[in-house]
PDB file of all heavy atoms in Angstrom:
ATOM      1  N   VAL T 233      44.849  24.497 -51.652  1.00  0.00           N
ATOM      2  CA  VAL T 233      43.879  25.495 -52.118  1.00  0.00           C
ATOM      3  C   VAL T 233      43.093  24.957 -53.305  1.00  0.00           C
ATOM      4  O   VAL T 233      41.869  25.061 -53.362  1.00  0.00           O
ATOM      5  CB  VAL T 233      44.586  26.817 -52.473  1.00  0.00           C
ATOM      6  CG1 VAL T 233      43.617  27.774 -53.157  1.00  0.00           C
ATOM      7  CG2 VAL T 233      45.151  27.471 -51.219  1.00  0.00           C
ATOM      8  N   GLY T 234      43.780  24.363 -54.283  1.00  0.00           N
ATOM      9  CA  GLY T 234      43.094  23.815 -55.430  1.00  0.00           C
ATOM     10  C   GLY T 234      42.172  22.668 -55.072  1.00  0.00           C
ATOM     11  O   GLY T 234      41.022  22.602 -55.544  1.00  0.00           O
ATOM     12  N   LEU T 235      42.641  21.767 -54.226  1.00  0.00           N
ATOM     13  CA  LEU T 235      41.817  20.626 -53.826  1.00  0.00           C
ATOM     14  C   LEU T 235      40.620  21.079 -53.001  1.00  0.00           C
ATOM     15  O   LEU T 235      39.513  20.544 -53.158  1.00  0.00           O
ATOM     16  CB  LEU T 235      42.666  19.636 -53.033  1.00  0.00           C
ATOM     17  CG  LEU T 235      43.768  18.918 -53.823  1.00  0.00           C
ATOM     18  CD1 LEU T 235      44.676  18.141 -52.877  1.00  0.00           C
ATOM     19  CD2 LEU T 235      43.180  17.998 -54.884  1.00  0.00           C
ATOM     20  N   ALA T 236      40.833  22.043 -52.120  1.00  0.00           N
ATOM     21  CA  ALA T 236      39.717  22.556 -51.322  1.00  0.00           C
ATOM     22  C   ALA T 236      38.689  23.239 -52.219  1.00  0.00           C
ATOM     23  O   ALA T 236      37.479  23.073 -52.035  1.00  0.00           O
ATOM     24  CB  ALA T 236      40.230  23.528 -50.264  1.00  0.00           C
ATOM     25  N   THR T 237      39.160  23.994 -53.206  1.00  0.00           N
ATOM     26  CA  THR T 237      38.247  24.640 -54.143  1.00  0.00           C
ATOM     27  C   THR T 237      37.402  23.595 -54.860  1.00  0.00           C
ATOM     28  O   THR T 237      36.177  23.722 -54.968  1.00  0.00           O
ATOM     29  CB  THR T 237      39.034  25.476 -55.164  1.00  0.00           C
ATOM     30  OG1 THR T 237      39.760  26.497 -54.477  1.00  0.00           O
ATOM     31  CG2 THR T 237      38.100  26.109 -56.177  1.00  0.00           C
ATOM     32  N   ALA T 238      38.055  22.535 -55.358  1.00  0.00           N
ATOM     33  CA  ALA T 238      37.329  21.490 -56.076  1.00  0.00           C
ATOM     34  C   ALA T 238      36.351  20.764 -55.166  1.00  0.00           C
ATOM     35  O   ALA T 238      35.200  20.500 -55.549  1.00  0.00           O
ATOM     36  CB  ALA T 238      38.331  20.500 -56.679  1.00  0.00           C
ATOM     37  N   ALA T 239      36.779  20.441 -53.948  1.00  0.00           N
ATOM     38  CA  ALA T 239      35.902  19.716 -53.029  1.00  0.00           C
ATOM     39  C   ALA T 239      34.693  20.553 -52.638  1.00  0.00           C
ATOM     40  O   ALA T 239      33.571  20.034 -52.533  1.00  0.00           O
ATOM     41  CB  ALA T 239      36.683  19.295 -51.783  1.00  0.00           C
ATOM     42  N   ILE T 240      34.889  21.849 -52.436  1.00  0.00           N
ATOM     43  CA  ILE T 240      33.768  22.714 -52.069  1.00  0.00           C
ATOM     44  C   ILE T 240      32.831  22.915 -53.268  1.00  0.00           C
ATOM     45  O   ILE T 240      31.608  22.984 -53.107  1.00  0.00           O
ATOM     46  CB  ILE T 240      34.289  24.062 -51.535  1.00  0.00           C
ATOM     47  CG1 ILE T 240      35.026  23.849 -50.204  1.00  0.00           C
ATOM     48  CG2 ILE T 240      33.144  25.039 -51.347  1.00  0.00           C
ATOM     49  CD1 ILE T 240      34.174  23.244 -49.114  1.00  0.00           C
ATOM     50  N   CYS T 241      33.392  22.997 -54.478  1.00  0.00           N
ATOM     51  CA  CYS T 241      32.538  23.077 -55.666  1.00  0.00           C
ATOM     52  C   CYS T 241      31.685  21.816 -55.783  1.00  0.00           C
ATOM     53  O   CYS T 241      30.478  21.896 -56.080  1.00  0.00           O
ATOM     54  CB  CYS T 241      33.391  23.252 -56.923  1.00  0.00           C
ATOM     55  SG  CYS T 241      34.097  24.905 -57.148  1.00  0.00           S
ATOM     56  N   ALA T 242      32.299  20.657 -55.549  1.00  0.00           N
ATOM     57  CA  ALA T 242      31.543  19.406 -55.607  1.00  0.00           C
ATOM     58  C   ALA T 242      30.490  19.369 -54.508  1.00  0.00           C
ATOM     59  O   ALA T 242      29.347  18.955 -54.726  1.00  0.00           O
ATOM     60  CB  ALA T 242      32.499  18.219 -55.490  1.00  0.00           C
ATOM     61  N   ARG T 243      30.854  19.812 -53.311  1.00  0.00           N
ATOM     62  CA  ARG T 243      29.925  19.839 -52.178  1.00  0.00           C
ATOM     63  C   ARG T 243      28.739  20.749 -52.464  1.00  0.00           C
ATOM     64  O   ARG T 243      27.612  20.485 -52.026  1.00  0.00           O
ATOM     65  CB  ARG T 243      30.683  20.297 -50.932  1.00  0.00           C
ATOM     66  CG  ARG T 243      29.881  20.361 -49.624  1.00  0.00           C
ATOM     67  CD  ARG T 243      30.851  20.693 -48.509  1.00  0.00           C
ATOM     68  NE  ARG T 243      30.236  20.802 -47.197  1.00  0.00           N
ATOM     69  CZ  ARG T 243      29.934  21.956 -46.587  1.00  0.00           C
ATOM     70  NH1 ARG T 243      30.179  23.106 -47.203  1.00  0.00           N
ATOM     71  NH2 ARG T 243      29.401  21.965 -45.382  1.00  0.00           N
ATOM     72  N   ALA T 244      28.985  21.820 -53.225  1.00  0.00           N
ATOM     73  CA  ALA T 244      27.929  22.777 -53.548  1.00  0.00           C
ATOM     74  C   ALA T 244      27.084  22.339 -54.738  1.00  0.00           C
ATOM     75  O   ALA T 244      26.136  23.028 -55.115  1.00  0.00           O
ATOM     76  CB  ALA T 244      28.537  24.144 -53.829  1.00  0.00           C
ATOM     77  N   GLY T 245      27.444  21.197 -55.344  1.00  0.00           N
ATOM     78  CA  GLY T 245      26.659  20.683 -56.455  1.00  0.00           C
ATOM     79  C   GLY T 245      26.826  21.460 -57.746  1.00  0.00           C
ATOM     80  O   GLY T 245      25.861  21.655 -58.492  1.00  0.00           O
ATOM     81  N   LEU T 246      28.052  21.887 -58.049  1.00  0.00           N
ATOM     82  CA  LEU T 246      28.300  22.703 -59.233  1.00  0.00           C
ATOM     83  C   LEU T 246      28.591  21.878 -60.481  1.00  0.00           C
ATOM     84  O   LEU T 246      29.205  22.374 -61.425  1.00  0.00           O
ATOM     85  CB  LEU T 246      29.452  23.679 -58.964  1.00  0.00           C
ATOM     86  CG  LEU T 246      29.226  24.687 -57.833  1.00  0.00           C
ATOM     87  CD1 LEU T 246      30.370  25.681 -57.772  1.00  0.00           C
ATOM     88  CD2 LEU T 246      27.890  25.412 -57.998  1.00  0.00           C
TER      89      LEU T 246
END
Side-chain angles (χ1 to χ4, degrees):
V233 171
L235 293 171
T237 299
I240 293 300
C241 285
R243 181 174 179 259
L246 299 186

